[in-house]
Amino acid sequence: MGKNVVAILLILLMVMNIGCLKADEVMQQDSYVENEIKIGILIYRFDDQFISSVKATIIEQAEEINAMNPQEIIVDIVDGKNQQDIQDDQIDHFIQEDYDALAINLVDRSNAANVIDKAKQADIPIVFFNREPVEVDMARWEKTYYVGAKAEDSGIIQGEIAVSYWMDNPQVDKNGDGIMQYVMLEGQPGHQDALLRTKYAINAVVEQGIEVEELVRDTANWQRSEAKDKMATWLDFFGDDIEFIFSNNDAMALGAIDAMKASEVAYNIPVVGVDAIESAIEALETGEIIGTVNNDNAEQGKMVMNMAYYLAINEDPNDYIPDIVNGTYLWIPYEKVLPNID
C-alpha cells in the first residue's frame, strides 16, 4: 500500500474518532499536539457538603479522561474559603500560568463580570457551575458557559412534597385553622438558588389552594451548625406554632432536626430539604425528613469536567454534549426523593 494511501487512511480514522466523542465517553484525541493540558477548578468552599461531592466527581472524571488521553492533563482544584478576594487571587494565578480552561464555582456571583473580563483578555474559556451569574454577565463573552440546575424547579418540587404531606397528614395543622404556619431556612444571602427555592416552594403550596403564614425566615449560609442555632431560637420563641420547616438545602434541614432533638420539648415538625446528600437520605429513611430533591452532584461534576476539557483542547462543547441551551447553559434536572414505603 502506498504511503499516500496510508496517510489518508490515518487522517480518516482520526476524524472518525473525534466525531464519535461523547460527553459520557471521553476518548483519546490524537489531533491535539501539545504535551500538557492545564485546567483550573475553583470551589467557593471545600467544606460545603454538596459542593464537596461535586468536587469528588470532578476528580474522578478527570482521572478517567487522563487515562485515555495522550497528553498529561493537570487539574488543579483550589478552595476559595468563601472569600472572594482569595478566589480572585487564585483566578489571577491560573491566568498568569496560562491555564487552558477554568471551571469556577463563584464565591460571589456578582463578581462574574470582573472574572469574565479577565479571562476574555487572556482568552481562557470559563465554565461557571452551581452558582449562576446573571444573564447579562454571561453574555459578555461567547467562551463563557454554565453547568447547573434550575433553582426554581427545586423549589417547585419542595412545594409539591409539602402539599402532599399536608394533605395526607391533617394532624400537621396543629391549631386546625387550615393555614400552614412555616419557617424558612435560607442559604447564602443573594444566592440565586436561595432566592428562587424560597420563592417557588411557597408559590407551589399556594397554587394548590393552601393558605400559608410565614412565621420567620433567615439565612444559615447552607451550614448545618448555623441552621441548628437558628432553629433552636425559633423553637424557643414559636414552639408548637411552627407547623412546617422549609430548608433551601439538606445540610440546614439536618441542622433543624438537630435543634429539635436537642430541645427539652419533643418536637416532630415536618422538614423538607434539597440536595439528597447521603446523610439526608438516611434521615429520610428514618422519617426525620419527609422529602428532599436530588440535585445530581455526579452529573454536574461529570459535565463540568467534560465541558472544561473540550474547551481546553479548543473544541466546541456543543459538538459533543447534547442539550446545551443557547449554546451556553447545560441544565441538570432535579428529581423528587421520598421515603421508601413498603
Side-chain angles (χ1 to χ4, degrees):
M1 186 178 293
K3 292 183 179 179
N4 289 338
V5 175
V6 172
I8 291 170
L9 287 173
L10 286 172
I11 292 171
L12 287 173
L13 286 170
M14 288 165 61
V15 170
M16 289 173 63
N17 186 45
I18 293 172
C20 293
L21 192 64
K22 298 179 181 179
D24 60 352
E25 189 179 336
V26 184
M27 297 172 64
Q28 180 172 311
Q29 292 210 32
D30 293 333
S31 60
Y32 193 72
V33 297
E34 292 187 11
N35 293 324
E36 186 177 86
I37 301 166
K38 295 189 294 185
I39 299 173
I41 311 289
L42 298 104
I43 305 291
Y44 96 102
R45 61 188 297 172
F46 278 3
D47 61 357
D48 181 297
Q49 196 166 356
F50 174 75
I51 289 297
S52 68
S53 63
V54 174
K55 176 170 71 76
T57 306
I58 289 173
I59 293 170
E60 291 173 4
Q61 187 67 7
E63 289 172 351
E64 288 191 22
I65 296 173
N66 223 343
M68 294 183 283
N69 202 288
Q71 295 84 36
E72 180 185 7
I73 303 175
I74 297 172
V75 178
D76 285 335
I77 305 181
V78 293
D79 183 0
K81 301 185 185 299
N82 203 28
Q83 296 183 46
Q84 190 59 58
D85 57 342
I86 291 177
Q87 191 172 77
D88 286 340
D89 289 342
Q90 293 166 342
I91 291 168
D92 290 343
H93 171 72
F94 285 147
I95 289 175
Q96 290 166 6
E97 293 297 316
D98 196 26
Y99 273 57
D100 298 293
L102 301 178
I104 304 175
N105 170 226
L106 285 166
V107 171
D108 180 1
R109 74 189 188 107
S110 67
N111 194 50
N114 179 49
V115 173
I116 292 167
D117 289 346
K118 287 181 180 180
K120 181 179 180 180
Q121 186 174 2
D123 195 27
I124 300 175
I126 306 172
V127 181
F128 290 110
F129 65 99
N130 185 252
R131 296 186 166 204
E132 180 189 352
V134 296
E135 189 174 351
V136 67
D137 287 342
M138 291 291 293
R140 296 177 78 89
W141 189 34
E142 67 274 10
K143 293 184 181 181
T144 304
Y145 299 82
Y146 181 75
V147 176
K150 291 187 176 181
E152 59 266 35
D153 291 347
S154 61
I156 292 169
I157 295 172
Q158 271 197 318
E160 292 172 351
I161 294 170
V163 167
S164 294
Y165 195 85
W166 178 265
M167 300 298 290
D168 293 343
N169 299 274
Q171 73 277 9
V172 176
D173 185 11
K174 298 172 188 175
N175 58 13
D177 65 354
I179 301 172
M180 181 188 292
Q181 278 86 22
Y182 73 91
V183 299
M184 177 73 72
L185 286 161
E186 295 188 296
Q188 192 171 5
H191 191 295
Q192 179 87 343
D193 287 4
L195 297 170
L196 293 176
R197 286 174 185 173
T198 293
K199 175 182 176 180
Y200 281 89
I202 303 307
N203 283 357
V205 174
V206 173
E207 286 174 1
Q208 293 304 310
I210 298 173
E211 290 188 58
V212 298
E213 179 186 355
E214 181 180 275
L215 300 179
V216 65
R217 74 169 71 177
D218 203 352
T219 59
N221 293 301
W222 309 113
Q223 300 302 303
R224 182 170 182 164
S225 59
E226 290 189 39
K228 179 182 178 181
D229 292 341
K230 298 282 185 187
M231 194 68 217
T233 300
W234 296 347
L235 289 171
D236 287 342
F237 189 83
F238 295 105
D240 270 332
D241 289 342
I242 303 172
E243 296 176 337
F244 222 97
I245 301 169
F246 290 88
S247 176
N248 285 171
N249 78 342
D250 284 341
M252 295 187 299
L254 292 167
I257 293 167
D258 292 340
M260 285 190 281
K261 287 180 177 179
S263 174
E264 294 180 358
V265 180
Y267 289 108
N268 186 25
I269 305 169
V271 185
V272 60
V274 177
D275 283 340
I277 60 177
E278 185 177 351
S279 49
I281 296 299
E282 293 171 359
L284 189 71
E285 297 308 321
T286 60
E288 294 172 317
I289 288 179
I290 65 163
T292 185
V293 185
N294 183 30
N295 192 2
D296 194 340
N297 60 291
E299 190 66 11
Q300 283 193 41
K302 182 178 179 181
M303 289 298 104
V304 167
M305 188 61 232
N306 283 352
M307 192 174 285
Y309 169 69
Y310 292 130
L311 292 168
I313 61 172
N314 299 314
E315 293 286 346
D316 185 348
N318 290 275
D319 292 338
Y320 308 110
I321 300 175
D323 303 322
I324 298 179
V325 179
N326 297 327
T328 301
Y329 295 90
L330 182 60
W331 300 113
I332 310 299
Y334 289 104
E335 293 180 347
K336 185 182 297 184
V337 183
L338 299 171
N340 289 321
I341 301 175
D342 295 331

